[in-house]
């Protein structure tokens, strides 16, 4: 069991080595997919056969607990689907002239590096180490955004790097506070999460709250919480579709994960309620801004990006509520939100290649030209707004019911915001679907049908199946896993 | 051995000079002098680390001083200067939200707020005076760097803002000498970020330059058109020159 962390590293670097030395796009793609699959397998193995939490190294800087493994499985699954799509997508982009063939290797190298960095972030017991991996994840995802040739991508990547890293510096200040605090209270300073959890009650609540607030700023920026969200819609809309899926499903999860860990430390102390207020306030603000932006959005991928902000807002409110049931469903929401979002972005990727644009006014005859992508968008939208039988319905429903138990007024506000989002989705989709040019004299009619690769088609189908099955049948294993996770977090 | 009181005062003086360099960075528009001010600021951090070593004797501080000297005084400024030459941008002309003067006033306000905030929050820890000053200036430096990142349009100045923020964190953490390995990694991440941003810039050209070209383009077009017209009616241009004389 001690070896498993090293196996992760070895597999990761082997994958990168193979990608760098292989000559064909196909091989690079296969190695990336295998890399992700191995990570899923290893995490599943650790979940089943080891006593968790397991600590690594003498200083216990790394550990594996249920939450970390759960997030790694979600992350690696998204990477797997993204690599399934990547080959077809990148070939389409090369044909369109937005990607130069030399950049394919750079793409896969950064892609695999990002997977390693993300995985190790989830395995970090030491918060400073987690911070470093989170920062590195910004670097590699910025590289992925910039692999496309457009100058706008450079702008988007720079915006992302600056917004994320400046906010992350504030997180670092928060960690220094925390370290000073522990060195005064315990004699030796530490940033190991398990020690912090153990001694949280003995630490000064005021400084704990101050450090929480600082740490929150950085992780909020990583997960696209308003007002640190500026980078998110731009980066999501400019990135290649598989990367958008990863950004939305994995990179934002890193932020949420950090916030959950930090909040878990505070949870047992007297300032928990004040930290809750911070979380709920930022959550509501994010939902509000996202809903209004969605109502006037004309860019499909930006629209989906804002929907991510809205979901992150809901998750923050859920974490702020802080009951075991709320945390349980927030964790479930990270899973199903990631899967649904990935599916939406893959569909948007097909649309992007069909029309060479994702602006609503360019998308004409969508149902006729791209029935699969249309189905993906419509089903994905239905799923993400929380309609049964899809899995997001469960998480949204139970988070809302926990909100209702905490405060009916809050429920009222959240419901109105969710209704705005539903309205925005309805408007946007109606617009997309209704732009039909039967006569064939508009510019949409003489477009040739873009044939999406099998990888994308299969991924979209598999993801639709997954979110439907999870909505209808809740596996006992998942219930157990989430219950243990919530208990480990101390909620 | 130096008198501890004198030492304390010396450290305080240096911390204050570092704050002054941040103020200079906020008001300067000329990119070369921004880079030199950053270099001076980093060098002051090295000196501060050495002074703290003399006071506490912790060898980690020497190690940190050497690392800072190498990365922040030598490598990064050199890198920035060559990037500046490649991009050929001399000055910041455009600002978002705040111009340098109002940014300076904002940062004075920030220093006060940070001071009040820290004196409340850290009160129960009974920290030394010097530590408290270091924390205040460090956090203020971080905010001032953030102002630069958000108020300047040129990417290269944004980088200097970001680096100033990191110097703030470094200043803060110099007083926590046991902070294990993290500062080194912070510097490493620094270098990675910098290389990344510079590569991004090399990939395309800084966007404000494009905007600038677009802005002057109408004039370029008009003058071309004028030149053509003048060229058609030969002899017209010299006449105009004559008028101007």
């Amino acid at each position: 069991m001690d070896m498993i962390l090293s196996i992760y590293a070895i597999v990761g670097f082997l994958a990168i080595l193979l990608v760098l030395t292989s000559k064909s796009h196909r091989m690079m793609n296969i190695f990336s997919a295998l890399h992700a699959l191995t990570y899923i397998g290893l995490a599943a193995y650790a979940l089943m056969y080891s006593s968790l939490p397991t600590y690594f190294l003498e200083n216990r800087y790394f550990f594996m607990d249920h939450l970390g493994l759960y997030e790694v499985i979600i992350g690696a699954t998204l990477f797997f689907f993204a690599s399934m799509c990547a080959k077809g997508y990148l070939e389409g982009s090369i044909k369109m002239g937005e990607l130069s063939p030399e950049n394919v290797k750079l793409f896969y190298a950064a892609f695999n590096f990002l997977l390693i960095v993300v995985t190790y972030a989830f395995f970090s017991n030491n918060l400073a180490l987690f911070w470093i991996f989170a920062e590195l994840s910004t670097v590699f995802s910025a590289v992925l955004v910039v692999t496309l040739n457009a100058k706008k991508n450079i702008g988007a990547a720079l915006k992302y790097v600056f917004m994320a890293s400046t906010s992350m510096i504030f997180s670092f200040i928060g960690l220094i506070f925390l370290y000073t605090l522990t060195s005064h209270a315990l004699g030796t300073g530490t940033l190991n999460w398990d020690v912090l959890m153990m001694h949280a009650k003995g630490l000064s609540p005021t400084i704990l709250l101050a450090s929480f607030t600082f740490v929150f700023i950085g992780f909020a920026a990583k997960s696209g919480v308003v007002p640190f969200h500026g980078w998110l819609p731009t980066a999501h809309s400019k990135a290649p579709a598989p990367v958008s899926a990863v950004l939305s499903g994995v990179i934002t999860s890193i932020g949420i994960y950090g916030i959950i860990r930090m909040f878990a430390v505070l949870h047992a102390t007297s300032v928990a309620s004040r930290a809750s207020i911070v979380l709920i306030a930022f959550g509501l603000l994010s939902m509000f801004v996202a809903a209004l932006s969605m109502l006037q959005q004309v860019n499909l991928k930006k629209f989906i990006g804002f929907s991510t902000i809205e979901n992150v807002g809901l998750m923050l409110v859920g974490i702020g509520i802080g009951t075991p049931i709320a945390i349980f469903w927030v964790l479930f929401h990270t899973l199903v939100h990631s899967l649904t979002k990935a599916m939406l972005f893959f569909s948007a990727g097909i649309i992007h290649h069909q029309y060479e644009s994702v602006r609503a006014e360019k998308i004409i005859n969508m149902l006729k030209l791209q029935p699969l992508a249309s189905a993906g968008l419509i089903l994905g939208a239905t799923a993400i707004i929380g309609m049964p039988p899809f899995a997001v319905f469960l998480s949204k429903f139970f988070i809302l019911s926990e909100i209702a138990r905490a405060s009916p007024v809050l429920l009222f506000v959240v419901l109105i915001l969710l209704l705005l989002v539903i309205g925005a989705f309805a408007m946007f989709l109606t617009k997309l679907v209704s732009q039909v040019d039967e006569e064939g004299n508009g510019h949409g009619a003489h477009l040739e049908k873009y044939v999406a690769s099998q990888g994308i088609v299969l991924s979209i189908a598999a993801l639709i199946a997954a979110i439907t099955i999870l909505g209808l049948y809740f596996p006992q294993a998942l219930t157990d896993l989430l219950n243990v996770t919530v208990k480990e977090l101390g909620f | 051995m130096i008198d501890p009181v004198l030492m304390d005062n010396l450290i305080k003086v240096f911390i204050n000079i570092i704050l002054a360099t941040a103020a200079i960075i906020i008001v300067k528009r000329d990119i070369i002098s921004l880079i030199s001010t950053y270099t001076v600021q980093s060098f002051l951090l090295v000196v501060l680390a050495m002074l703290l070593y003399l006071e506490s004797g912790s060898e980690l501080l020497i190690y940190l001083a050497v690392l800072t000297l190498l990365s922040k005084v030598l490598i990064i400024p050199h890198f920035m200067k060559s990037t500046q030459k490649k991009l050929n941008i001399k000055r910041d002309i455009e600002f978002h939200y705040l111009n340098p003067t109002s940014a300076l006033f904002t940062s004075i306000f920030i220093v006060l707020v940070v001071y009040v905030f820290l004196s409340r929050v850290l009160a129960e820890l009974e920290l030394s005076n010097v530590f408290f000053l270091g924390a205040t200036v460090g956090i203020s430096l971080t905010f001032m760097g953030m102002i630069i990142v958000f108020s300047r349009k040129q990417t290269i100045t944004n980088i200097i803002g970001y680096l100033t923020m990191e110097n703030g964190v470094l200043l803060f953490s110099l007083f926590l000498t046991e902070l294990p390995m993290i500062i080194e990694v912070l510097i490493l991440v620094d270098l990675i970020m910098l290389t990344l941003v510079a590569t991004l810039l090399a990939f395309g050209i800084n966007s404000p330059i494009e905007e600038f070209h677009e802005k002057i383009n109408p004039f370029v077009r008009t003058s071309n058109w004028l030149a053509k017209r003048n060229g058609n009616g030969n002899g017209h241009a010299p006449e105009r020159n004559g008028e101007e004389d």
Side-chain angles (χ1 to χ4, degrees), chain A residues 94-95 178 209 325 449 456 461:
Chain A
I94 293 172
K95 219 178 265 172
L178 205 55
L209 185 66
I325 302 178
K449 185 175 158 71
I456 300 187

Side-chain angles (χ1 to χ4, degrees), chain A residues 266-279:
Chain A
L266 259 79
H267 184 67
T269 67
S270 58
V271 286
S273 58
R274 283 161 76 186
S276 284
I277 293 173
V278 173
L279 291 176

Side-chain angles (χ1 to χ4, degrees), chain B residues 190-215:
Chain B
D190 224 42
L191 288 172
I192 295 174
M193 289 273 307
L194 202 71
T195 339
L196 171 76
V197 172
T199 329
L200 293 186
L201 286 177
F203 248 96
I205 307 295
N206 208 359
S207 62
I209 295 184
E210 277 176 43
E211 283 169 36
F212 183 58
H213 275 297
E214 269 167 28
K215 270 181 200 153

Side-chain angles (χ1 to χ4, degrees), chain A residues 400-423:
Chain A
L400 283 176
S401 74
E402 279 306 288
I403 293 175
R405 275 177 45 191
S407 146
V409 181
L410 188 60
L411 176 73
F412 179 71
V413 177
V414 172
L415 272 181
I416 293 211
L417 293 175
L418 284 180
L419 277 178
L420 280 179
V421 171
I422 293 173

Side-chain angles (χ1 to χ4, degrees), chain A residues 124-399:
Chain A
S124 301
N125 183 21
N126 186 297
L127 289 177
L129 210 56
F130 174 69
W131 181 91
I132 290 161
F133 284 118
E135 185 80 340
L136 285 176
S137 77
T138 309
V139 171
F140 290 117
S141 33
V143 172
L144 284 173
V145 172
V146 91
T147 42
L148 297 186
N149 291 342
K151 278 192 180 152
K152 281 183 181 159
N153 281 59
I154 295 167
L158 283 175
K159 196 173 175 185
Y160 174 34
V161 167
F162 277 113
M163 290 203 82
S165 355
T166 46
S167 317
M168 284 298 271
I169 286 192
F170 288 103
S171 280
F172 199 80
I173 291 181
L175 293 182
I176 296 178
F177 270 131
L178 205 55
Y179 188 84
T180 323
L181 184 59
T182 49
S183 67
H184 272 256
L186 311 174
T188 49
T190 179
L191 285 172
N192 280 9
W193 184 77
D194 59 323
V195 183
L196 289 174
M197 283 293 278
M198 230 185 305
H199 298 282
K201 279 186 183 155
L203 302 174
S204 148
T206 335
I207 306 181
L208 209 52
L209 185 66
S211 70
F212 172 79
T213 318
F214 273 108
V215 171
F216 174 76
I217 295 175
F219 295 152
K222 282 243 59 138
S223 49
V225 172
V226 179
F228 317 104
H229 67 295
W231 64 272
L232 192 144
T234 335
H236 280 58
S237 78
K238 297 288 169 248
V243 177
S244 311
V246 167
L247 280 177
S248 199
V250 187
I251 303 298
T252 54
S253 294
I254 293 183
I256 290 288
Y257 171 89
I259 292 170
I260 291 182
R261 286 261 189 234
M262 217 27 220
F263 186 63
V265 173
L266 259 79
H267 184 67
T269 67
S270 58
V271 286
S273 58
R274 283 161 76 186
S276 284
I277 293 173
V278 173
L279 291 176
I280 292 174
F282 278 100
L284 288 181
L285 181 68
S286 305
M287 291 180 77
F288 178 70
V289 171
L292 290 193
S293 318
M294 283 167 84
L295 279 171
Q296 51 182 346
Q297 195 47 251
V298 289
N299 178 320
L300 173 62
K301 280 174 91 180
K302 271 194 185 168
F303 183 85
I304 307 175
F306 274 112
S307 155
T308 301
I309 298 178
E310 174 253 324
N311 279 287
V312 166
L314 184 68
M315 286 189 242
L316 278 192
V317 176
I319 301 168
I321 298 290
T323 57
I325 302 178
I327 300 294
F328 181 100
W329 290 105
V330 165
L331 292 175
F332 182 67
H333 194 71
T334 54
L335 167 70
V336 289
H337 169 251
S338 302
L339 297 178
T340 317
K341 265 303 144 54
M343 202 264 283
L344 278 168
F345 274 117
F346 295 157
S347 309
I350 299 181
I351 300 286
H352 173 69
H353 279 155
Q354 172 71 61
Y355 299 97
E356 305 204 346
S357 166
V358 278
R359 295 182 70 83
E361 72 266 16
K362 297 268 172 67
I363 303 172
I364 292 166
N365 290 347
M366 181 177 82
L367 282 177
K368 202 169 134 196
L369 281 171
Q370 291 300 341
L372 175 80
S374 311
L377 285 178
I378 294 168
L379 290 177
T382 328
I384 205 81
I385 59 177
M387 289 294 244
F390 299 106
V392 178
F393 166 71
L394 294 176
S395 54
K396 278 202 171 170
F397 180 80
F398 285 106
I399 292 174

